[in-house]
Amino acid sequence: MKQSPLWKRQRWVAVVFVALALLLAFPVVALAQSPSPLAPGTDNAAELANLFWITLGIAAVVFVFTIFLILFAVFRYRQRDEDDDEEPEQIHGNARLELIWTIIPAIIMLTLFGLTFSALQTRYNAPEDSLVIHVGGKQLYWDFTYVDTNLDISTRGSTIEQAGTEEVLTEVFVPVGRPIQFEITSDNVIHSFWVPELEGKIDAIPGHVNTLWFEIDEPGTYRGVCAEFCGLNHWNMQFMLVALPEDDYQARIDELVFLANQRTPVGTDIESILADLEVYEADVESGEALFVEYGCTSCHSLDGSALVGPSMQGMGARA
């Protein structure tokens, strides 16, 4: 049985509306997954999530209205038979319509600009009494240093239980009810520091410090990631941010201070270590050829000049 042109048109209209419904339902599906920036755990993250929903709502209205106009034009002004030469009314040069479709987008853009500017101002202006934590992007893990302890205390590589499997992840501990400021940088490549439920992404750039802050009201554990491809094991560059009540947080920091004081600094007995080492003759030319072949010289010079990473000159003489 041959399908009529009307049936074909109705079928395509149905396909369009089903696709629209799936598109509008996508954020709801994303919200159900964890961690999600649409399930905010701080006021800063809530402001970003609200900005997303407002933008999505405006975009959805514009999209639906545009589709309606297209479908209206297709069905209202379609050629009904071969002898139908009637031309629809032309609106080119209609000053009222041109003002409408100029003023409305301008209002939308100014509104979004104002909301975005407000969110950015909140994000970058941390309270003066914030707890400062230095974040270093490594290859391939995050290193957190508690600046306020006046000691070089950092956490990395703690083994924790996640989803029934053991993963080696870095843990960083913060107190609830207190603003936390992260000073973020990198000593190798560009990373992107992101705790989806607590704040937006921010880049970790070699030689530059970016900052962000937030305040968590309730104890909890939040997964953070690197959102910038930074190497073959980029997928495993995750960490857990653990928000603790003030007393528990202080007890944890006291424990870290105690452990740090038990460590023996590297290099205190370097002479005795070097005396016991067996030194082998090195094939310098082959090593240099491999260093160049694998692209290492794109970040590390051999002559002492400054690149993204440290120079290899004198590496063998360093403790």
Side-chain angles (χ1 to χ4, degrees), residues 34-149:
S34 182
S36 170
L38 301 181
T42 64
D43 292 340
N44 292 13
E47 190 171 7
L48 292 178
N50 291 336
L51 181 59
F52 168 81
W53 287 116
I54 291 172
T55 305
L56 179 66
I58 294 173
V61 171
V62 172
F63 179 78
V64 171
F65 182 65
T66 303
I67 294 297
F68 169 77
L69 290 180
I70 293 174
L71 295 177
F72 175 78
V74 168
F75 287 101
R76 174 64 179 81
Y77 298 110
R78 72 186 186 278
Q79 187 178 30
R80 290 171 173 78
D81 55 60
E82 294 181 358
D83 298 329
D84 184 5
D85 294 329
E86 180 184 358
E87 198 174 276
E89 180 183 354
Q90 302 301 302
I91 60 173
H92 177 72
N94 188 314
R96 180 179 297 176
L97 283 177
E98 290 180 0
L99 281 173
I100 290 174
W101 65 51
T102 300
I103 292 174
I104 292 178
I107 293 174
I108 292 174
M109 294 302 296
L110 288 173
T111 301
L112 293 179
F113 171 80
L115 294 173
T116 303
F117 183 78
S118 174
L120 290 176
Q121 287 294 99
T122 300
R123 185 184 194 193
Y124 293 120
N125 295 325
E128 294 183 358
D129 60 341
S130 298
L131 169 68
V132 179
I133 298 177
H134 179 81
V135 182
K138 310 291 183 180
Q139 284 192 311
L140 295 155
Y141 64 91
W142 296 102
D143 184 58
F144 298 91
T145 301
Y146 296 85
V147 178
D148 287 6
T149 61

Side-chain angles (χ1 to χ4, degrees), residues 2-21:
K2 187 176 180 180
Q3 294 179 338
S4 67
L6 179 60
W7 163 249
K8 291 182 179 179
R9 284 194 294 268
Q10 291 174 340
R11 183 176 60 185
W12 280 111
V13 170
V15 170
V16 169
F17 276 98
V18 169
L20 176 60

